[in-house]
Amino acid sequence: MKAISRSFRRQASSASRAIAMTAILATAWLAGNAANASQAQVDRGRYLVDTILACGNCHTPKGPDGQPQPGRELAGGGLRFEAPFYSGAAPNITPDKETGIGAWTDDEIRRAITQGLRPNHGRLAGVPLAPMMWVNFYKALLPADLDAVVAYLRAIPPVRNLVAVPTYKRQVPRDPYPDAEKGFVEADLTDPVRRGAYLVTIGHCMECHTPAREGRTLYEEALGTGGKAFAPAMVVGYPQDWRGAVAPNVTSHRVAGLGAWSDPEIGRAITQGISRDGRRLAPPMGFHWYSGLSARDVDAIVAWLRTLPPHE
């Protein structure tokens, strides 16, 4: 009887090991397939973050020459803003759990990007993000692209970098951007002009290239006519010789805007920061990041810019 019992236990143990091994192999297979499925997602997120979204323009620390510091991508402190309503530097958005967003859930990251809401835990729990976080544009991110951005932010190396707590002097409402309010669908990306509208929207290009009056950006009345000024006292973190800049007119006006420019000249300005007359463009134009845009996306942006009515 004891021998039978021992035999049964051995058989049961062997069966348990077999079941456990099968479960392990199945889990490994699923994990491998999940990893393969998510690699394309991570790659798409990398492309968006490192090009049109230009997240590193604010979030990546820069050297004295204004160039991003290698190995510290998105670790915070890239730009510091001084405004009547806010004073502080762009935060660490690497997955470091103590100084970055490593303790945030995916949904919390999505809400921060598209609604400007921090989670109800950690530093500044529940405090809305600064107006410099252009959620009024990012809300237009297609669900698949938003998921891709989150996947990429999860995949980058965590960097420990504690950025000083900002000072919120008063809340400032974000002006709604018409195309972001209307939204986009995946099918829009197949049409060059609609694709360009989507890229310009999530790239928050018109935030700089549209003038403001009495604290309101004139998207409905003067879209793309430029005139918004940036001074060294307002934005800290660009090259030491930066003297500020005024966003130019990018409408199709032949004198004041881009109407007389060729498509390649507009593309070069976007991706290389070189004007039609050979002048180097100045920050905050994020041409360092836009240089990675695909030819298809550059062409789409140019196609959309051509649709802007001419305005002086």
Side-chain angles (χ1 to χ4, degrees):
M1 189 68 172
K2 290 181 179 179
I4 294 173
S5 177
R6 285 197 297 270
S7 176
F8 177 81
R9 285 199 298 270
R10 284 198 298 272
Q11 291 174 11
S13 178
S14 296
S16 297
R17 286 197 297 271
I19 292 170
M21 182 58 68
T22 301
I24 291 170
L25 291 174
T27 302
W29 183 86
L30 290 171
N33 278 274
N36 291 334
S38 65
Q39 187 57 53
Q41 194 176 47
V42 170
D43 289 343
R44 174 64 176 172
R46 178 186 294 109
Y47 176 75
L48 292 168
V49 167
D50 290 349
T51 61
I52 192 62
L53 295 177
C55 301
N57 204 6
C58 293
H59 290 279
T60 296
K62 299 174 177 61
D65 59 354
Q67 295 301 306
Q69 294 180 4
R72 292 172 62 77
E73 288 80 7
L74 305 179
L79 290 182
R80 180 177 180 83
F81 301 93
E82 296 293 341
F85 50 85
Y86 173 86
S87 175
N92 183 340
I93 57 172
T94 74
D96 183 72
K97 289 192 174 181
E98 294 183 7
T99 65
I101 60 173
W104 296 20
T105 67
D106 289 358
D107 281 342
E108 287 169 344
I109 298 174
R110 292 187 190 97
R111 278 196 299 272
I113 294 171
T114 60
Q115 300 176 41
L117 301 177
R118 281 190 179 86
N120 291 318
H121 58 83
R123 302 174 81 202
L124 297 172
V127 176
L129 296 173
M132 292 79 177
M133 181 65 176
W134 308 121
V135 300
N136 47 330
F137 294 87
Y138 300 148
K139 68 185 295 184
L141 278 162
L142 292 168
D145 280 348
L146 181 58
D147 288 345
V149 169
V150 173
Y152 175 61
L153 293 177
R154 291 288 194 206
I156 62 176
V159 179
R160 180 172 177 79
N161 183 36
L162 188 63
V163 177
V165 175
T167 301
Y168 289 83
K169 302 169 186 178
R170 69 173 189 272
Q171 285 299 322
V172 177
R174 296 177 172 89
D175 297 320
Y177 183 67
D179 274 353
E181 295 301 311
K182 295 172 187 173
F184 295 86
V185 295
E186 288 285 347
D188 288 326
L189 301 187
T190 63
D191 175 76
V193 173
R194 288 297 291 162
R195 186 182 187 91
Y198 175 69
L199 293 166
V200 166
T201 299
I202 65 174
H204 54 88
C205 306
M206 294 301 112
E207 168 61 33
C208 293
H209 287 283
T210 302
R213 183 190 303 135
E214 298 177 355
R216 185 175 69 87
T217 306
L218 307 177
Y219 297 126
E220 298 285 1
E221 304 96 316
L223 185 68
T225 58
K228 191 168 286 186
F230 301 87
M234 296 165 50
V235 187
V236 180
Y238 288 126
Q240 294 175 346
D241 60 352
W242 185 63
R243 296 292 178 265
V246 176
N249 185 326
V250 293
T251 71
S252 54
H253 194 283
R254 292 191 63 81
V255 177
L258 304 176
W261 293 39
S262 69
D263 289 1
E265 286 171 341
I266 299 174
R268 185 180 69 166
I270 294 170
T271 60
Q272 299 179 42
I274 300 175
S275 183
R276 190 185 188 206
D277 58 8
R279 289 181 298 108
R280 296 291 303 180
L281 300 180
M285 180 66 176
F287 45 82
H288 172 88
W289 282 270
Y290 304 149
S291 64
L293 283 166
S294 69
R296 181 189 185 191
D297 283 347
V298 174
D299 290 346
I301 291 170
V302 173
W304 181 83
L305 288 172
R306 295 294 193 197
T307 70
L308 288 178
H311 284 293
E312 289 195 43

